[in-house]
Amino acid sequence: PLCTGAAPLIMVFGDSLSSAYGLPQEAGWVSLLKKRLQQERLDYQVINTSISGETTRGGLSRIAQSLATHHPAIVILELGGNDGLRGQPVEATRDNLESIIKACQLHGAKVLLIGSGEMAETVARLLAVAGARLLVIGRTPEKVQALSDAVGGEPRLWTELAASLSEVDIVISSTSTAA
């Protein structure tokens, strides 16, 4: 939305990649997102509730409190990498992410699921099999189509994101995964 009054809140819920672990806070992607939204004159507030080292199990244990405290319109969910590093079963990661996503949706928030590499693609495929409606977004049609084909989502370019949010349950970014 363009500056229209009360700004909707974007809550980033992730691990060290989102918490800017090892970086000055202003160099992390969440701070860069805030700056970009301001530059584009898009009226959103952004809060970062990410915790370095967080797993999907840890995220599941704290999502209800984060939702109740912040009441986000959009949740950017970036968890799962630490599960993979710790050898957690992909099914458990999927189940935890699915529960986090459902909790967000019950609070009326849209979910943008981001991740990297095969773990993100595997979880996306499992969510699609479970019946989630997926939207795959990115900057280049080729990458978007490739990831969409891989996970069973609807391909869209970044410029189409806002208009497409009401159509889907989960958004997956092709710029965050190996395509």
Side-chain angles (χ1 to χ4, degrees):
L2 297 174
C3 299
T4 58
L9 179 71
I10 298 171
M11 182 176 79
V12 180
F13 195 78
D15 56 29
S16 59
L17 297 176
S18 297
S19 70
Y21 178 77
L23 296 172
Q25 282 299 307
E26 64 274 4
W29 74 263
V30 177
S31 292
L32 297 174
L33 171 65
K34 288 179 190 180
K35 288 178 188 173
R36 182 64 179 263
L37 291 170
Q38 290 170 348
Q39 289 170 350
E40 298 291 327
R41 299 181 49 84
L42 296 172
D43 193 20
Y44 286 95
Q45 297 176 51
V46 179
I47 186 163
N48 192 350
T49 62
S50 302
I51 297 176
S52 182
E54 184 75 282
T55 61
T56 59
R57 183 175 177 188
L60 180 57
S61 73
R62 67 184 182 90
I63 189 64
Q65 182 64 46
S66 292
L67 292 167
T69 300
H70 302 294
H71 308 286
I74 299 170
V75 174
I76 299 178
L77 177 57
E78 181 273 313
L79 287 173
N82 289 318
D83 294 46
L85 290 173
R86 294 176 183 165
Q88 298 300 314
V90 173
E91 294 78 14
T93 300
R94 180 216 46 222
D95 291 347
N96 291 336
L97 287 172
E98 194 173 303
S99 294
I100 293 168
I101 289 166
K102 286 179 182 174
C104 293
Q105 292 170 333
L106 285 173
H107 276 81
K110 289 290 183 179
V111 179
L112 170 58
L113 175 66
I114 61 174
S116 61
E118 291 181 28
M119 178 61 120
E121 289 185 24
T122 299
V123 169
R125 275 191 219 95
L126 293 170
L127 290 169
V129 168
R133 296 173 299 161
L134 304 178
L135 177 65
V136 177
I137 60 168
R139 288 179 282 218
T140 63
E142 298 80 20
K143 281 189 170 186
V144 171
Q145 190 61 57
L147 183 56
S148 180
D149 291 346
V151 302
E154 291 293 321
R156 298 283 195 291
L157 295 177
W158 273 106
T159 55
E160 302 171 284
L161 176 60
S164 303
L165 281 176
S166 63
E167 302 172 22
V168 296
D169 298 313
I170 301 164
V171 179
I172 300 170
S173 168
S174 72
T175 58
S176 299
T177 58

